[in-house]
């Protein structure tokens, strides 16, 4: 087969080959949009990563997702956009004019999910973000880009919140973990980016009753699908955005870059991935 007749294919590069929902998501879109294409998992060890990525096309791929432990190397080996640079990690690669480009789609995954679940969320003046790791970087970038005035960033290790604040400037206010309680009453948006509440991790103890009645609550954790935080927020009648929604929305741009059509996050796709998560 020549390159012209071969179906377009993308892949997920990681090490070790972890169980991922990405093939399920991209195969669903290929199927429902009637596109002949593929999406494979490629287990590539760190010592083979540069060769693989620098010859992605020769390996048969028009682009790729990148996961642990390769996201920082992917950034260094490609021409990143502003989003990948801001997060310090790339999770999506594609070719543009023969050049290997990269971005980080967690930002639009987070923002796209909020737009879908809680339209108008960006009228909040104050957001409270819990956690200052890699996921938090994407969240903070997305909030500032959408014009949130003050992002209060609470982290167990205050130094990490301060470092992120320095990177993003005056819109970010690093605070200690003990300050969360007093910030809740003015948080129009609350986002958990920590691992608290994840299956096997400690709970996130927080009184959602102190949030304003118009607050929106987002949790990046998606195992379990409904965290205690989201359940408590919904019980109070607050709008919520969950981690699975973000996972689905972050896959949209990669698909569009590789296969040329912008896919939709449908209830059917969500049900498919939910079934896979609950059977795992
Ligand atoms: P990710 O890339 O998914 O953001 P990470 O960089 O390991 O992962 O960040 C994990 C986040 O969860 C951090 O903000 C971490 O706080 P520290 O910076 O203090 O480590 C937070 N986290 C993890 N366990 C926690 C706990 N028991 N209490 C509070 N925060 C916790």
């Amino acid at each position: 087969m020549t390159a012209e007749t071969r179906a377009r294919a993308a892949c997920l590069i990681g090490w070790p080959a972890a169980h991922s929902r990405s093939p399920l998501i991209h195969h669903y879109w290929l199927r429902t949009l009637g596109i002949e294409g593929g999406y494979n998992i490629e287990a590539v060890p760190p010592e083979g990563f540069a060769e693989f990525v620098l010859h992605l096309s020769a390996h048969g791929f028009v682009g790729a997702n990148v996961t642990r432990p390769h996201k920082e190397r992917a950034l260094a080996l490609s021409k990143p956009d502003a989003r990948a640079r801001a997060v310090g990690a790339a999770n999506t690669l594609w070719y543009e004019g023969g050049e290997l480009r990269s971005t980080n789609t967690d930002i639009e995954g987070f923002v796209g999910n909020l737009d879908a679940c809680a339209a108008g969320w960006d009228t909040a003046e104050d957001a409270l973000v819990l956690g200052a790791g890699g996921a938090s970087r994407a969240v903070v970038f997305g909030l500032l880009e959408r014009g949130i005035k003050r992002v209060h960033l609470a982290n167990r290790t205050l130094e990490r919140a301060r470092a992120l604040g320095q990177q993003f400037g005056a819109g970010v206010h690093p605070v200690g973990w003990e300050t969360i309680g007093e910030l809740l009453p003015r948080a129009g948006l609350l986002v958990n980016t920590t691992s608290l509440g994840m299956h096997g991790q400690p709970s996130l103890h927080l009184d959602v009753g102190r949030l304003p009645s118009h607050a929106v609550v987002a949790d990046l954790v998606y195992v379990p699908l409904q965290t205690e935080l989201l359940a408590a927020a919904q019980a109070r009648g607050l709008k919520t955005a969950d981690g699975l929604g973000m996972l689905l929305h972050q896959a949209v741009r990669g698909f569009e870059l590789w296969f040329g059509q912008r896919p939709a996050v449908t209830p059917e796709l969500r049900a498919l991935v939910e079934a896979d998560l609950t059977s795992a």
Side-chain angles (χ1 to χ4, degrees):
M1 248 190 284
T2 67
E4 287 71 35
T5 57
R6 196 167 49 201
R8 297 168 78 83
C11 64
L12 170 67
I13 312 169
W15 184 262
H19 182 64
S20 162
R21 275 84 204 179
S22 295
L24 191 61
I25 297 170
H26 291 292
H27 287 149
Y28 168 83
W29 282 330
L30 288 169
R31 194 169 65 246
T32 54
L33 291 169
I35 296 172
E36 202 184 325
Y39 187 93
N40 307 350
I41 292 205
E42 294 286 331
V44 179
E47 59 275 18
F49 183 71
E51 187 282 333
F52 192 90
V53 158
L54 295 175
H55 303 98
L56 195 58
S57 174
H59 284 283
F61 299 110
V62 296
N65 281 136
V66 179
T67 187
R68 285 164 206 262
H70 301 313
K71 290 188 194 181
E72 287 79 15
R73 295 280 309 289
L75 180 84
L77 292 166
S78 59
K79 187 179 171 198
D81 69 1
R83 292 178 164 195
R85 279 200 306 273
V87 178
N91 69 354
T92 302
L93 298 168
W94 77 100
Y95 287 102
E96 200 172 280
E99 193 171 39
L100 188 66
R101 300 292 321 271
S102 67
T103 186
N104 189 304
T105 63
D106 286 340
I107 298 163
E108 54 211 274
F110 171 67
V111 166
N113 186 40
L114 272 175
D115 283 338
C117 299
W121 64 270
D122 51 351
T123 55
E125 294 205 339
D126 289 81
L128 173 57
V129 176
L130 312 180
S136 174
R137 243 170 231 268
V139 165
V140 169
F141 186 93
L143 295 181
L144 295 176
E145 194 181 48
R146 285 292 287 268
I148 302 294
K149 279 208 190 98
R150 285 174 297 274
V151 177
H152 306 276
L153 188 61
N155 198 47
R156 176 179 60 179
T157 312
L158 180 57
E159 263 325 298
R160 279 185 101 186
R162 286 203 176 120
L164 228 135
Q166 270 180 357
Q167 180 192 343
F168 285 108
V172 177
H173 302 257
V175 293
W177 194 253
E178 67 292 345
T179 317
I180 292 173
E182 63 195 67
L183 285 170
L184 286 174
R186 62 171 130 132
L189 176 68
L190 171 70
V191 187
N192 176 40
T193 78
T194 74
S195 48
L196 294 174
M198 192 185 287
H199 182 70
Q201 299 292 318
S203 300
L204 173 59
H205 296 292
L206 186 150
D207 182 6
V208 295
R210 301 188 66 181
L211 285 166
S213 59
H214 60 269
V216 173
V217 177
D219 199 336
L220 271 50
V221 170
Y222 62 90
V223 180
L225 275 172
Q226 196 190 43
T227 60
E228 282 177 38
L229 173 66
L230 293 180
Q234 282 165 18
R236 239 208 90 186
L238 304 180
K239 284 190 183 156
T240 59
D242 69 11
L244 176 57
M246 174 169 167
L247 180 77
L248 300 175
H249 280 275
Q250 69 77 30
V252 168
R253 180 137 158 87
F255 188 94
E256 184 181 25
L257 287 164
W258 308 321
F259 301 113
Q261 284 191 56
R262 191 168 177 82
V265 175
T266 61
E268 188 186 29
L269 171 62
R270 193 183 154 95
L272 199 70
V273 180
E274 266 190 31
D276 185 68
L277 280 169
T278 46
S279 70

